[in-house]
Amino acid sequence: MLSVLLAVGLLTVMIAWGKIQPLLAFVVAAIVAALMLGMPAAKIPGAIEKGIGDLLGSLVVVICLGAVFGKLIADSGAARRIAISLVDRLGMARIPVAMTVTGFVVGMPLYYNVGFVLMIPLIFSLVYQSGRPAVALGMPLLAGLSIAHGFLPPHPSATALVVAVHADMGKTLLYGLVVAIPTLIIAGPIFAMSLKHIRAEPAPMFRTAQQEIPDSELPGTFNSFFTALLPVVVLGALTLVTIVRPDLSKPLAFLSSPLIVMLLSYFVAVVTLGIGRGQPFSKVTDSAAGALREISPILMIIAGAGGLKQVLIDSGVSAELGTQLAHMPVHPLLLGWAVATLIRVCLGSATVAGITAAGVVGPLVESSGVDPNLMVLAVGAGSLMFSHVNDSGFWMFKEYFGLSLKDTFRSWTMMETLVGVFGLLFVMLLSLFVTQG
C-alpha cells in the first residue's frame, strides 16, 4: 500500500509541479513502483511495454474513431445546428432547458474542450439577445458537456475504464444515461438558478465572436441530430436487444462491437454531413488529421496508465490491494469514487484521474463482485469532483467568462462537485436495482 501511494505521489508531483509530459511521468512512476515492490529489474521494461500494448490495443481505434467523428460533427456545423434548433423550438422562456439539452447532446460526440470552445459564441450570443446573466445561462450547457465527457463512452476515460474493469460498453452507456440525466438536472438548470447574481465580464474577442459558417449553410436539423446521436442510439438499441433476447448475443456480436458502431457512424457522417451536402471528399476527410493530432496527448496518457497498471498486476500488489479494499467496511463503488476523487484533486485532469484509478479499482471489482458497469460510472463521477486551479477547464471557464477566482469557485467548482456527489448518489441508487435484477 505504501509503495502504491508513493508511486502515485511521485506521479502527482511530476505532472502537477514538474510539468513533465504525462507519458514519461507514468513510465518513471511505474519503474519506481516496480523497484519498491521487489520486481526483478529485468522484467520491468517488459511489464511496462505489455501494459501499454494491451490497453492501447483495445482502445486506440475506438477512441480515434470517436475523435474523427466528433471533429466532423463540429466542423460541419451540425453541433451548432443542434444548439440553434433547440433554442428556437423551446424559446427564450425555456432557455435553461434548451441549454441543458444542447450541452448533453453536443457533449456525446464531442470532447469537452472542443465542445466548450464551439459553444461559447452561442452562449454569449444568447446572453446579449435575452439579457440574462452569462454564468447562469451558460452553466447548464457546460454541465451537460462535462457529464457526457466523464460518464459516457466513447469518451476516453469511460472507454478506458470499460476495458480495465471488463465492463460492457453498451450497458455502461445505458446505465450512464440513467445516472447522467438526473445529475444534469440538479447540477445544470437547478444549480444555475443560484448563480444569477454573478456578473461575467467576457473579453471583447468573445463578445464579438463570429461563426465561420453562416446559419443558412448549416446542415439540416434532422440530419444533425440523426448523425450526432447515431452511435449512441445504435449501441444502446443493440444492447437492449441482447438483454431482452440473450440468444441473439452471438449473432449480433459483430454489429454491437463499439469499433464497428463507431466506424459505421463515421462513414454515415461522411455521407450525410459531407458528400451528401456537396462537399468534396478530400475536404470532409481533412478534419480527421486534425482530430488525430488533438487526441494524441490523451492516447499517451492512456498508454502510460497501462504501463503502471501492468506493474501493479505483475508485482501481485494489485490483487492484494483489491483484497484489502474489498474487506474495508465501505461500499466498493464508494471506494472507487474516492480513489478517482483523490487523483482528480491532486492532478486536475478528469481523464488522467479516471484512467489512473482504473489500475486500482480493477482488482476491487473482481474481489468484491460489484457490477463493473456501475464502477465505471462511480469512478467517472469521482474524476469530475472539485475542479480547481490545477484543472485547465477551471481556467478556461474563468477567462472566457471574465470571472474572479471567488466567483469561479462559487460557480464552476461547485457545479463539478455537484456532478461528482450526485453522480455517485444515483449510481448507488441504481446499484440496488441492478444487483436485484
Side-chain angles (χ1 to χ4, degrees):
M1 178 72 78
L2 179 60
S3 298
V4 173
L5 291 176
L6 288 173
V8 173
L10 176 63
L11 178 68
T12 301
V13 170
M14 286 190 291
I15 294 177
W17 180 75
K19 307 300 181 185
I20 295 175
Q21 203 280 334
L23 173 61
L24 300 179
F26 269 111
V27 170
V28 171
I31 293 172
V32 171
L35 293 173
M36 288 191 296
L37 293 168
M39 282 186 65
K43 293 184 177 181
I44 295 175
I48 295 174
E49 292 167 4
K50 181 179 186 302
I52 291 173
D54 288 352
L55 193 54
L56 274 185
S58 56
L59 289 177
V60 66
V61 178
V62 174
I63 291 178
C64 288
L65 284 171
V68 299
F69 177 76
K71 182 73 170 173
L72 183 53
I73 296 294
D75 289 351
S76 67
R80 270 182 53 216
R81 171 60 73 193
I82 289 170
I84 292 170
S85 63
L86 284 170
V87 172
D88 288 345
R89 294 287 176 87
L90 294 172
M92 284 295 178
R94 298 185 182 87
I95 199 168
V97 178
M99 299 299 276
T100 303
V101 177
T102 297
F104 194 56
V105 171
V106 170
M108 288 184 188
L110 293 184
Y111 293 127
Y112 181 82
N113 289 349
V114 176
F116 185 105
V117 174
L118 188 69
M119 292 290 104
I120 281 294
L122 172 75
I123 292 173
F124 288 125
S125 173
L126 292 173
V127 165
Y128 299 125
Q129 289 179 42
S130 65
R132 299 190 181 211
V135 174
L137 186 145
M139 188 58 73
L141 188 151
L142 299 177
L145 288 176
S146 181
I147 289 172
H149 174 78
F151 286 9
L152 303 180
H155 288 282
S157 179
T159 305
L161 279 162
V162 165
V163 174
V165 302
H166 306 293
D168 178 270
M169 197 167 296
K171 286 185 179 179
T172 300
L173 178 59
L174 291 177
Y175 292 166
L177 291 172
V178 173
V179 170
I181 291 172
T183 302
L184 175 56
I185 292 171
I186 294 169
I190 292 178
F191 174 61
M193 295 171 65
S194 69
L195 304 176
K196 293 180 180 179
H197 65 283
I198 296 180
R199 298 297 170 186
E201 295 292 338
M205 64 177 291
F206 302 133
R207 299 178 196 173
T208 58
Q210 298 294 319
Q211 305 292 355
E212 295 181 2
I213 307 175
D215 289 356
S216 59
E217 297 180 14
L218 294 176
T221 300
F222 175 79
N223 186 6
S224 299
F225 274 96
F226 169 79
T227 307
L229 295 178
L230 184 61
V232 176
V233 172
V234 172
L235 194 57
L238 289 171
T239 301
L240 284 175
V241 169
T242 55
I243 291 174
V244 176
R245 293 283 305 277
D247 56 301
L248 295 178
S249 296
K250 288 186 177 180
L252 293 176
F254 176 77
L255 288 177
S256 59
S257 164
L259 186 153
I260 300 301
V261 170
M262 290 307 306
L263 186 62
L264 291 176
S265 298
Y266 177 64
F267 286 156
V268 170
V270 167
V271 175
T272 58
L273 299 178
I275 299 172
R277 298 177 54 240
Q279 300 289 330
F281 181 76
S282 58
K283 181 180 179 180
V284 176
T285 55
D286 275 349
S287 65
L292 294 178
R293 284 194 297 270
E294 293 169 9
I295 199 63
S296 58
I298 295 177
L299 291 176
M300 295 301 98
I301 292 171
I302 294 172
L308 178 58
K309 172 176 173 286
Q310 194 64 40
V311 163
L312 297 180
I313 292 173
D314 288 359
S315 66
V317 73
S318 187
E320 178 64 25
L321 188 59
T323 302
Q324 291 180 12
L325 291 175
H327 285 89
M328 291 181 66
V330 181
H331 196 286
L333 294 175
L334 180 57
L335 281 173
W337 175 87
V339 169
T341 296
L342 179 62
I343 299 171
R344 159 71 155 176
V345 171
C346 293
L347 296 182
S349 168
T351 301
V352 174
I355 295 170
T356 307
V360 178
V361 302
L364 175 61
V365 171
E366 295 180 9
S367 59
S368 66
V370 71
D371 187 288
N373 307 290
L374 296 181
M375 181 60 81
V376 172
L377 301 178
V379 171
S383 74
L384 296 175
M385 278 289 292
F386 198 71
S387 167
H388 61 100
V389 295
N390 61 0
D391 178 19
S392 61
F394 177 94
W395 294 106
M396 287 176 65
F397 180 81
K398 178 187 181 299
E399 297 304 320
Y400 271 73
F401 283 82
L403 301 177
S404 66
L405 277 173
K406 177 184 175 182
D407 284 340
T408 308
F409 278 111
R410 167 72 180 85
S411 53
W412 172 262
T413 301
M414 183 59 70
M415 180 273 288
E416 291 282 76
T417 302
L418 288 173
V419 168
V421 171
F422 281 96
L424 173 66
L425 175 63
F426 290 119
V427 168
M428 299 293 284
L429 290 174
L430 182 59
S431 69
L432 300 177
F433 298 95
V434 170
T435 53
Q436 290 173 1

